[in-house]
């Protein structure tokens, strides 16, 4: 009888241990941790006010009053790769944060 009680205690301990380990596990990829937001990497060219997303290989530029997106820039827009700034933004559309970026990194003429 005493051996049976010991086995039950060990099994109970192992079950509790296994359950607590699953509670302490990190969240799955589709459920990021509370308060954590993914950052999007961009290369910003202040002279021409162009953003480039290396991960998506997309350019974002202003045309008139609208922002455009494309895999290449129009020939009239020339970027100076020597004057680029690496940014990490929360927005997947960098122009949504452009006023703040413009204040922090004005184009130098």
């Amino acid at each position: 009888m005493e051996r049976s009680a010991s086995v039950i205690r060990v099994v109970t301990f192992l079950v509790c241990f296994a359950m607590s380990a699953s509670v302490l596990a990190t969240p799955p990829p589709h459920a990021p941790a509370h308060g954590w937001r993914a950052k999007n990497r961009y290369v910003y060219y202040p002279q021409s006010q162009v953003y480039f997303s290396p991960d998506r290989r997309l350019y974002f530029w202003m045309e008139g009053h609208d922002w455009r997106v494309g895999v290449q820039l129009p020939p009239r827009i020339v970027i100076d790769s020597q004057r680029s700034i690496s940014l990490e933004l929360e927005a997947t559309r960098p122009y949504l944060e452009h006023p703040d970026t413009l204040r922090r990194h004005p184009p130098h003429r």
Side-chain angles (χ1 to χ4, degrees):
M1 187 62 120
E2 189 175 314
R3 184 164 195 252
S4 168
S6 293
V7 171
I8 290 174
R9 276 187 236 139
V10 169
V11 170
T12 303
F13 172 78
L14 292 175
V15 168
C16 290
F17 179 77
M19 290 174 63
S20 66
S22 67
V23 169
L24 298 175
T26 58
H30 67 274
H34 178 71
W36 182 83
R37 287 196 164 81
K39 297 288 185 179
N40 297 285
R41 294 182 319 126
Y42 297 99
V43 178
Y44 177 61
Y45 302 94
Q47 289 295 101
S48 49
Q49 297 184 37
V50 169
Y51 296 87
F52 176 68
S53 170
D55 299 328
R56 296 182 287 165
R57 297 181 179 178
L58 289 174
Y59 288 95
F60 298 81
W61 70 92
M62 177 70 89
E63 195 168 289
H65 295 290
D66 300 316
W67 283 92
R68 303 287 185 215
V69 180
V71 294
Q72 64 184 30
L73 292 169
R76 64 177 175 73
I77 297 179
V78 179
I79 56 173
D80 182 357
S81 60
Q82 299 297 317
R83 294 187 179 182
S84 65
I85 298 167
S86 294
L87 299 175
E88 284 191 352
L89 305 173
E90 289 183 15
T92 56
R93 295 175 290 173
Y95 49 85
L96 297 177
E97 297 185 35
H98 187 64
D100 187 48
T101 301
L102 199 54
R103 272 191 302 281
R104 288 184 286 130
H105 307 288
H108 301 289
R109 303 197 186 251

